[in-house]
Amino acid sequence: MIGSSRERRAVVRTLAPLLIVLALGCVFHGHGAFFDWQTHRAMLREISVHGILACGMTVVIVTAGIDLSVGSVLALSALSFATFLLPWSWPGWVAVLAVLALGGAAGAISGVLVAFSRIQAFVVTLAMMVFARGLAKLWSGGQKVSTYYQSADGTFVSLPEPALFDLIDARVLGDNLSVVTLVFFACALSTRL
C-alpha cells in the first residue's frame, strides 16, 4: 500500500506517461495497428538491445559512475560477432565467447584505469569510446559486414545467414515474444534484485 504523499507522487509520475501513450494510441491507432499484438511485439523486439544496455548502465549510474563507451563497445562487439560468424565461419558458441571476452576486456581496461590509476571515469570511458569506435572502423574498413562480402582474391561471395542469428531472433511462447526480449526482461529483473 502506498503510504506517503511522496510515494503517491512517484506512482503518478510513473503512470501518467503510460496513460498518455495509451490515450494517444486509442485516438491515433492507424486502422487498428495500436491494438494489434504484432505492433507491440515488434516494438519490444526493437527496444530490447537498448534495454539490455540500459540495465547495465543503471548499475553504473546507481554507483555514481559513468561510462561513455557503451555504444562504441557495442558497435565493436557487433562488428566482431558478425565477422567471426560470416567471413571467418567460426562456430556460434566460439564467436559468442570471443565477443564476451572482447567486451569484458574493454570494460576491464576502463575499470583498472579508473580504480588503480585514479583517472576520472569520464576521461577513461571517453578514450575507450574513441578507441573502440576507431578500431571498429579500422577493422571493417568503413564497410558494413553482411552475408555478401569481397574475398581476398577480389571475388564477391554470398554466405548463408548463420543459424545463430535465427536462434537469437526466434519467437517463443506461442510466437508472442522474441528470445532477445526475454533476455531483456531477465536483465531488467536482475537489476531490480
Side-chain angles (χ1 to χ4, degrees):
M1 179 145 189
I2 300 171
S4 72
S5 64
R6 184 177 182 173
E7 290 174 342
R8 283 192 294 274
R9 284 193 307 267
V11 169
V12 169
R13 281 194 315 265
T14 303
L15 290 178
L18 177 63
L19 294 175
I20 291 170
V21 167
L22 289 175
L24 289 173
C26 289
V27 173
F28 304 105
H29 58 82
H31 304 290
F34 183 78
F35 303 108
D36 189 6
W37 172 245
Q38 291 182 18
T39 303
H40 299 289
R41 179 182 60 209
M43 288 302 281
L44 283 170
R45 165 65 186 93
E46 291 299 317
I47 66 166
S48 292
V49 172
H50 298 291
I52 292 167
L53 289 175
C55 291
M57 286 304 297
T58 299
V59 174
V60 171
I61 291 169
V62 164
T63 59
I66 188 168
D67 190 349
L68 303 175
S69 66
V70 173
S72 296
V73 172
L74 172 67
L76 178 62
S77 300
L79 169 79
S80 60
F81 186 65
T83 303
F84 294 157
L85 286 177
L86 291 169
W88 296 3
S89 302
W90 286 14
W93 66 273
V94 174
V96 168
L97 290 177
V99 168
L100 288 174
L102 178 73
I109 290 168
S110 294
V112 164
L113 288 172
V114 169
F116 297 112
S117 298
R118 300 286 188 218
I119 303 172
Q120 290 293 322
F122 184 88
V123 174
V124 171
T125 59
L126 181 64
M128 182 57 74
M129 177 186 79
V130 172
F131 174 75
R133 184 178 297 170
L135 184 58
K137 188 168 185 176
L138 177 70
W139 187 348
S140 69
Q143 304 292 318
K144 71 177 184 173
V145 177
S146 71
T147 57
Y148 191 71
Y149 80 102
Q150 188 173 11
S151 63
D153 63 358
T155 59
F156 285 92
V157 179
S158 181
L159 298 171
E161 190 172 285
L164 186 56
F165 286 2
D166 293 330
L167 177 66
I168 291 170
D169 202 33
R171 292 182 183 167
V172 293
L173 301 175
D175 270 358
N176 287 314
L177 292 173
S178 296
V179 170
V180 71
T181 303
L182 294 178
V183 172
F184 167 46
F185 288 158
C187 290
L189 288 175
S190 70
T191 57
R192 285 223 16 122
L193 302 176

